Amino acid sequence: MQEGTGYCGRWLTDKIPPTVSTARIDLARYKRLAVRSADTWQGGLFRLPMWIQENEDAAPYRPTGAFWRSVSTGLIWCLVEPQPRTANADLALRALLEFGQKHEDALMGRPARIEVPNARFADELRHLLDDRDTTVAVIENLPDVDDALRQFAEYESGPLPRGLMDTPGVTPEHVRRFAAAAAGFYGAEPWEALEPGDLIAIDLPGLDVEMRHLVVTGSTRDSRGVMFFTAQGQFERFMSQPPTSGRKPRMWMIAFDRIDSLPFADVDAWEDLQLPVTADDAYPRPGLTLPDGLPGRPNPTQLAHLEAILRALATTTDDEFDSGEWTKPVDTVEGPMAVRLSLPRLLQQMARESETGAIVDEDPNHVPQMRFAMEQTLRRALRAGRSADTPEEATRLIEEAMAAEAGGGHPPKPSEVSPEEHALAIAQAAMATTGRRKIQLARRALAICPDCADAWSALGSRAIDLQRAVRCYRQAVAAGERAIGPDGFAASAGHFWEAVDT
């Protein structure tokens, strides 16, 4: 940056408010400057490439400032509005007058021509300036001013990431459709249906190889988004050794965050195009993270594919998730697409269950699951006519029954037990697993027996949203009360936690 950059920084911090009386005095001094017919000043009021946060509790805001640039010298001058949404033509005049006075020697007078991008602002400036020696012209695009603003921001904070529409071929309609898809995805809350361990495979013609698998993140509000992987192996390596610092792995991501996390060009797009957003911290930021340097931005086809994937996930039902594989036809900026999605891990778990005829627990040594298995064994023994009046007798019955099963016997088939027992067995398996499999098994148990308290508890333990979890646990309590019944409560009084049925 040339001379004048330091003054911009001072005004950004001092934020001296303009006053009409002072401006009138400065205007008289300004008009005494000679007219330099060879120079043109460009500028006006612009949203500045910076954020201001008054205190820790206040939301950051992007200020508007009066910004001027001399075409002949490259010098710049900037004043920031003293309060949000207070910038006006008076502020622009104040900045213009100070520009001429502070750099009187270098500028060698006032310009013969001033170029601004807005006709209404030009009329206001002509009226305030009242200078017949200077022509105020309207030029809609001032690329040199845009470049100067970018250089100013990079001087303060380093290189700026590119906006979505800075990529050749990406149009406002591309961005508009992507924004709508992202808003729909966020509103559907897919992180309640999927865990970060639920890898989804994507089959979409022409899809970038680095986007063919994804996981939905969102255990906390500041981690919500989508992470893409080339293959299942890359995902497994990432999960086993997640990067904590240093070089970032190369991968496509869509992060949801506050507006001040976006590139300034995207902030302009969201405001100028009035793009939809679901929450204050739900602005989508798609990009390719690179080991070094600024993130890459999607080309038109990649952005359309991201739109398609987000639309497909937003409209996926619980039944489709539980099926393990499904296809969603969606309409995108580049035409209709059919997105085929699948959950490889869930399909593997379902295949093992189909082959063995039983639910294979992910962790057979899971302590609650071991307790559930013993309870089931004891319950079967009691219903077969055996008795257990003491804990010692109950332990003996469990050991004998489990030994019999290990010696060639087998647990009863679903058709040999009541719907309540069948649902309970599935719900207890759900408690011992993770990911979509937990939800799938819990929903299956509830389809068999809506009063399966353990199934409701499994759904409650999986819920991320507190209110959703509370609703599930209330359902669990109500289901348990109905299943035990008033007689069961009365009969178990005094030893409620020792009764198998309770």
Side-chain angles (χ1 to χ4, degrees):
M1 296 290 287
Q2 300 190 42
E3 184 183 357
T5 299
Y7 291 111
C8 286
R10 179 169 65 83
W11 287 117
L12 293 179
T13 55
D14 292 347
K15 296 196 297 182
I16 299 176
T19 60
V20 175
S21 59
T22 303
R24 293 305 177 193
I25 296 174
D26 290 342
L27 181 58
R29 295 173 55 192
Y30 170 83
K31 287 186 176 181
R32 288 198 293 270
L33 298 175
V35 177
R36 182 177 180 184
S37 60
D39 201 5
T40 296
W41 293 0
Q42 298 174 324
L45 297 173
F46 299 91
R47 287 172 297 197
L48 299 178
M50 60 179 293
W51 295 96
I52 292 178
Q53 188 169 13
E54 299 291 353
N55 55 64
E56 292 183 357
D57 298 327
Y61 70 92
R62 187 180 179 189
T64 297
F67 190 89
W68 295 103
R69 173 184 179 274
S70 164
V71 173
S72 297
T73 66
L75 292 170
I76 64 173
W77 191 263
C78 180
L79 283 182
V80 179
E81 59 184 352
Q83 298 295 332
R85 295 179 296 278
T86 60
N88 55 26
D90 284 330
L91 180 66
L93 176 63
R94 172 75 177 267
L96 184 144
L97 302 181
E98 290 187 359
F99 188 30
Q101 294 167 20
K102 298 293 184 179
H103 292 294
E104 180 177 354
D105 293 340
L107 295 172
M108 295 185 294
R110 64 190 195 272
R113 180 181 173 88
I114 293 176
E115 296 177 348
V116 298
N118 182 276
R120 179 178 175 181
F121 173 70
D123 289 339
E124 291 185 82
L125 189 61
R126 291 189 191 101
H127 173 72
L128 292 172
L129 198 58
D130 189 24
D131 186 357
R132 289 177 294 179
D133 295 326
T134 300
T135 299
V136 179
V138 178
I139 305 296
E140 291 187 1
N141 296 310
L142 299 173
D144 290 335
V145 172
D146 293 338
D147 187 59
L149 284 167
R150 179 187 57 79
Q151 291 183 53
F152 165 63
E154 292 182 341
Y155 178 84
E156 297 287 329
S157 59
L160 297 180
R162 293 183 297 113
L164 289 171
M165 287 188 291
D166 290 333
T167 300
V170 175
T171 67
E173 189 60 20
H174 279 90
V175 179
R176 191 188 308 277
R177 295 295 296 269
F178 169 77
F185 171 87
Y186 194 94
E189 299 181 324
W191 42 83
E192 290 288 353
L194 301 167
E195 289 186 0
D198 289 317
L199 182 69
I200 295 180
I202 310 166
D203 185 0
L204 179 60
L207 183 64
D208 191 298
V209 67
E210 294 181 299
M211 295 181 179
R212 293 182 181 174
H213 295 77
L214 69 81
V215 293
V216 173
T217 61
S219 57
T220 59
R221 292 187 69 92
D222 60 357
S223 66
R224 290 177 180 173
V226 178
M227 300 173 63
F228 291 88
F229 298 88
T230 302
Q232 186 168 344
Q234 182 196 12
F235 164 72
E236 291 171 351
R237 289 190 298 273
F238 181 89
M239 293 296 288
S240 63
Q241 293 183 326
T244 56
S245 62
R247 290 168 61 89
K248 296 180 180 179
R250 177 188 174 95
M251 65 169 55
W252 283 98
M253 299 179 66
I254 303 175
F256 288 87
D257 211 333
R258 300 188 316 182
I259 191 171
D260 57 307
S261 71
L262 299 183
F264 288 111
D266 288 350
V267 175
D268 290 339
W270 251 260
E271 294 179 348
D272 293 341
L273 300 177
Q274 297 182 329
L275 301 178
V277 64
T278 307
D280 290 341
D281 57 355
Y283 287 86
R285 188 178 72 250
L288 175 64
T289 63
L290 301 171
D292 296 300
L294 296 174
R297 307 314 301 274
N299 62 36
T301 299
Q302 290 169 334
L303 194 58
H305 285 162
L306 292 177
E307 176 200 343
I309 293 167
L310 293 179
R311 291 189 187 279
L313 288 172
T315 56
T316 296
T317 65
D318 275 320
D319 287 343
E320 288 170 329
F321 279 127
D322 288 346
S323 71
E325 53 185 342
W326 64 102
T327 299
K328 303 295 288 188
V330 295
D331 184 42
T332 74
V333 67
E334 296 196 352
M337 298 182 184
V339 185
R340 188 171 183 273
L341 304 170
S342 62
L343 290 159
R345 179 165 163 257
L346 182 61
L347 290 174
Q348 293 167 4
Q349 292 166 322
M350 294 166 64
R352 287 199 301 268
E353 180 183 352
S354 178
E355 292 171 1
T356 61
I359 299 174
V360 180
D361 299 322
E362 193 160 302
D363 182 7
N365 296 319
H366 186 252
V367 174
Q369 178 65 6
M370 295 173 67
R371 176 173 61 81
F372 295 150
M374 290 188 291
E375 288 179 357
Q376 285 181 297
T377 302
L378 178 60
R379 187 179 291 108
R380 289 195 294 269
L382 293 174
R383 291 183 177 178
R386 307 291 296 276
S387 61
D389 297 328
T390 66
E392 291 77 13
E393 291 177 349
T395 300
R396 178 176 52 79
L397 277 180
I398 293 172
E399 291 175 348
E400 290 176 358
M402 295 183 74
E405 291 177 2
H410 59 82
K413 298 178 181 179
S415 60
E416 300 172 348
V417 299
S418 67
E420 293 79 9
E421 285 285 323
H422 186 198
L424 180 61
I426 296 174
Q428 291 171 348
M431 297 291 283
T433 190
T434 59
R436 185 66 204 184
R437 180 66 163 169
K438 179 188 288 290
I439 297 176
Q440 181 202 52
L441 293 176
R443 293 182 70 242
R444 190 195 303 178
L446 289 172
I448 298 171
C449 177
D451 280 348
C452 183
D454 286 295
W456 284 113
S457 293
L459 291 178
S461 68
R462 169 62 187 85
I464 294 172
D465 178 75
L466 178 60
Q467 297 303 317
R468 194 188 304 258
V470 168
R471 289 195 297 270
C472 290
Y473 286 128
R474 288 189 186 279
Q475 292 274 22
V477 171
E481 290 177 342
R482 291 191 297 269
I484 295 172
D487 293 340
F489 272 96
S492 301
H495 56 94
F496 193 84
W497 302 110
E498 296 176 3
V500 175
D501 287 340
T502 61

